[in-house]
Amino acid sequence: LLYEAGMEVYTARAHSAVRFVPSLPEHTDTHRKRGIMYAITDIFPPQYRVLARERLAEYIDAYLNTYRSGTVLGNWVEQRPIIHLAEDVRTVFVHGGVSPNVG
């Protein structure tokens, strides 16, 4: 169900309005100002929402524990550069991009 919901969100190009989290905090004014309207579990049929929230929380914990400091992958990621400047092609590579307000 999580995979199908994720595919539906990206197919509909709604990824800026939906977060892949079990639920949004109760005070969502900050989220709404940024255009975030739903948690991924909000698009599930009501009878599956509790189970989806539980499974997604488990997946998130497993992911974070995999890349946590002190783990093989966590240590590897921490030793990688966070930015790469390819001077020969005048390009900067960063995870997540660069704000248009920079430079």
Side-chain angles (χ1 to χ4, degrees):
L1 287 174
L2 287 170
Y3 173 78
E4 291 172 8
M7 295 312 310
E8 185 176 326
V9 167
Y10 284 98
T11 300
R13 297 184 182 272
H15 52 275
S16 62
V18 180
R19 287 297 174 259
F20 220 88
V21 295
S23 59
L24 292 178
E26 296 216 12
H27 303 289
T28 59
D29 290 342
T30 302
H31 290 79
R32 294 201 194 288
K33 287 178 186 173
R34 294 174 54 207
I36 303 166
M37 305 300 288
Y38 307 99
I40 190 74
T41 52
D42 294 338
I43 65 173
F44 279 65
Q47 66 268 29
Y48 298 118
R49 288 183 186 161
V50 171
L51 178 60
R53 287 182 184 119
E54 290 171 357
R55 292 296 177 266
L56 186 53
E58 290 173 9
Y59 297 154
I60 290 170
D61 284 345
Y63 177 85
L64 293 175
N65 286 332
T66 299
Y67 290 96
R68 190 171 309 285
S69 290
T71 66
V72 172
L73 287 174
N75 292 338
W76 179 81
V77 168
E78 289 172 358
Q79 293 181 20
R80 305 280 65 96
I82 59 170
I83 187 170
H84 174 74
L85 173 61
E87 293 185 55
D88 56 330
V89 290
R90 300 183 67 211
T91 303
V92 174
F93 295 94
V94 294
H95 179 79
V98 177
S99 169
N101 298 329
V102 174

